[in-house]
Amino acid sequence: AGYHASSSSTARPPIGGKMEDVKLAKDSLIDYLIFLAERRKNGDEAGDDGAAAREEVPEPLRKFEGSLAAGIATSSAVSYTRLGLTNTANNCYLSVVIQAILPCNALMWILRRCSADDPRRPVFSCMVSLCKEFHTRKPDSHGDVLNLLVMNQVKEVVASWQRLGAQQDAGEFFFWLLSQMHDESKWKVHVPADPAEGTAGEAGEEEDVAPSAWATLVRTSRRAVETRSAGLHEDSPITRTFGGLTQSAVRTKGAKVDSVSLEPFNHLDLDISAPAVTSVRAALEAYCSAEEVNDGQAVRRMQFKLLPKVLVLNLKRFSFVKDMGGPQKIQKAIKYDEKLTLDKAWLVDETESPEYFMTAVICHHGESVHKGHYTAIVRYNAEWYMYDDTCVRRLEPREVGAQQYTVYLLVYQSRGTVDMT
């Protein structure tokens, strides 16, 4: 299994607790990534011919030197133990999310190099401890049962989640978990000032600004385009793995400038309420279709500027229905495929879609928004397994795609590497 977490302090206050006077061992992969980001920033700001960029790596972090040169493989053969998870407190939403992320090799690679007891990063530490349970058991332990809620770290994370007043929703918990891990491992991105920023140009001029500019006016021979970004000044290993960028272009009648905004995402919410939406591809087509906004005075078009290594799709099965007086579950079949490639029309400029392959399906069973049960179907190398609380059973390939009325969340991975440098 080879699952060895970095060492750290044994003093661990609860989530949101104070950490004054706690001695920290800054020796995890996250500390190394933050050090590299700070060193790059210092080098950019100093403009001193790279002297700042050659700042010596602290001794506790030298063990990571060279480990990121080839990138982190997004997919790899898995060898963790397939465990059933006890559902003693309506926590099936938690269980299916854990089962769904176990095949995410890049995330597991990062967790193996982080501390299981880092007071600065309680959610990361919890995930290290939790995933270690799956990776360090004997090979013949498949089918054993684990009770997540006997682990203090898990109880603290769940309590933090519940203090938000959140429902027991697998999707909301999944996205909160990614957001928390991002916040615990993020670093600032240095954005150099653009001399063209804030200026207006007339149509007919040549393009003079790089497409990746953060906030600028791009002048092309066809039309001026004002590009704005939202929340693009932070980075993290979670963003590098699950993060992408959408581009929203708005063309207003009579305006000389198109407004283009870039928006980061770690999952996609896909509306499936329209009668014509009967598949994931149809939902993505609707997501990227042009729509009238501002009372018909403008047209907005959504495209993908950057695609994530791990793509999480949320089929919006729960929506507010005015005539019904509240939220209702959309009970319809949605077709999904084991492989997914995004259409060229959905992509910006030279962006190319990798071929994604499905690694997990989370299903919601039940007719009500307020109650139900979650199960997960998860790829284990060439095989598929159904996880229904403590029950774990192998599925035939034909069964994997037969959850069209209950499919709620889909996890797709691409092949290749995640660049963390």
Side-chain angles (χ1 to χ4, degrees):
Y3 200 95
H4 304 291
S6 296
S7 61
S8 189
S9 169
T10 56
R12 185 174 54 83
I15 294 176
K18 295 182 179 180
M19 294 186 296
E20 289 87 346
D21 303 323
V22 175
K23 185 177 181 181
L24 303 176
K26 298 182 179 180
D27 64 349
S28 74
L29 178 69
I30 295 173
D31 294 308
Y32 181 62
L33 293 173
I34 292 174
F35 169 80
L36 293 181
E38 284 295 318
R39 188 169 70 174
R40 286 194 298 271
K41 177 177 177 291
N42 293 339
D44 289 341
E45 291 178 346
D48 58 357
D49 224 8
R54 293 192 294 273
E55 180 184 349
E56 187 176 0
V57 176
E59 193 279 331
L61 300 178
R62 291 175 189 169
K63 59 189 174 184
F64 299 116
E65 289 188 289
S67 63
L68 302 173
I72 304 171
T74 53
S75 61
S76 179
V78 298
S79 59
Y80 64 87
T81 305
R82 300 184 298 272
L83 301 177
L85 299 176
T86 304
N87 183 4
T88 56
N90 295 323
N91 57 287
C92 56
Y93 71 95
L94 164 66
S95 300
V96 294
V97 170
I98 300 305
Q99 301 285 13
I101 65 175
L102 285 168
C104 295
N105 182 69
L107 180 58
M108 294 301 111
W109 192 95
I110 294 164
L111 291 175
R112 282 195 293 271
R113 289 156 179 82
C114 293
S115 171
D117 202 9
D118 187 340
R120 300 163 299 169
R121 304 181 179 107
V123 176
F124 249 102
S125 295
C126 172
M127 293 303 298
V128 172
S129 296
L130 201 161
C131 292
K132 187 176 180 180
E133 289 286 336
F134 291 82
H135 284 86
T136 56
R137 299 204 175 203
K138 295 179 180 179
D140 59 354
S141 298
H142 291 300
D144 283 0
V145 174
L146 173 65
N147 187 347
L148 298 176
L149 296 183
V150 301
M151 302 174 65
N152 287 333
Q153 288 172 297
V154 174
K155 287 193 291 186
E156 289 178 9
V157 167
V158 171
S160 178
W161 154 252
Q162 292 176 338
R163 281 195 293 270
L164 300 174
Q167 301 295 317
Q168 294 167 328
D169 182 279
E172 290 181 4
F173 179 73
F174 196 165
F175 312 142
W176 176 84
L177 192 69
L178 292 178
S179 177
Q180 291 297 112
M181 288 195 290
H182 165 76
D183 286 344
E184 292 180 1
S185 61
K186 66 188 178 183
W187 58 84
K188 296 292 184 181
V189 175
H190 176 57
V191 183
D194 194 310
E197 185 173 342
T199 63
E202 299 295 328
E205 298 183 39
E206 293 299 316
E207 182 174 327
D208 64 351
V209 179
S212 59
W214 295 96
T216 187
L217 188 86
V218 179
R219 298 182 287 275
T220 70
S221 57
R222 293 172 295 171
R223 191 176 179 86
V225 178
E226 185 179 37
T227 303
R228 299 284 173 185
S229 67
L232 294 176
H233 302 282
E234 293 178 347
D235 204 351
S236 74
I238 300 302
T239 296
R240 296 288 181 99
T241 306
F242 294 89
L245 279 176
T246 57
Q247 175 177 292
S248 175
V250 177
R251 175 166 293 188
T252 302
K253 293 180 180 179
K256 295 182 178 181
V257 177
D258 286 349
S259 176
V260 174
S261 61
L262 302 179
E263 210 48 71
F265 67 89
N266 61 18
H267 72 280
L268 292 177
D269 294 318
L270 299 181
D271 186 358
I272 61 171
S273 61
V277 177
T278 58
S279 68
V280 167
R281 294 201 70 83
L284 285 165
E285 178 69 44
Y287 185 88
C288 295
S289 295
E291 62 173 340
E292 290 189 348
V293 294
N294 299 334
D295 297 324
Q297 296 303 303
V299 175
R300 178 172 61 196
R301 174 84 185 279
M302 191 78 75
Q303 291 178 298
F304 296 102
K305 178 81 172 176
L306 176 68
L307 292 170
K309 303 296 184 180
V310 179
L311 175 65
V312 182
L313 303 179
N314 171 33
L315 306 184
K316 296 173 65 176
R317 286 205 175 269
F318 310 112
S319 63
F320 184 85
V321 180
K322 185 177 181 180
D323 294 341
M324 302 293 289
Q328 301 292 321
K329 182 177 180 181
I330 299 175
Q331 308 231 33
K332 63 188 290 188
I334 299 294
K335 182 183 177 183
Y336 52 96
D337 299 309
E338 285 193 37
K339 294 182 178 180
L340 175 67
T341 304
L342 275 61
D343 288 355
K344 188 65 178 176
W346 306 342
L347 309 176
V348 173
D349 301 330
E350 301 303 315
T351 303
E352 294 186 4
S353 172
E355 182 181 55
Y356 289 103
F357 64 99
M358 191 170 68
T359 56
V361 183
I362 292 178
C363 301
H364 179 268
H365 307 268
E367 299 180 358
S368 171
V369 173
H370 305 291
K371 61 182 179 180
H373 180 60
Y374 289 104
T375 60
I377 298 173
V378 182
R379 182 191 294 271
Y380 192 93
N381 298 326
E383 301 173 344
W384 288 93
Y385 286 84
M386 165 72 80
Y387 295 87
D388 185 354
D389 293 337
T390 59
C391 179
V392 181
R393 69 178 181 90
R394 185 177 174 182
L395 292 185
E396 296 297 326
R398 58 179 174 77
E399 297 179 89
V400 176
Q403 317 300 317
Q404 297 181 13
Y405 281 93
T406 59
V407 57
Y408 175 36
L409 300 167
L410 293 153
V411 180
Y412 286 90
Q413 296 190 54
S414 61
R415 291 181 170 84
T417 59
V418 180
D419 182 10
M420 291 289 174
T421 58

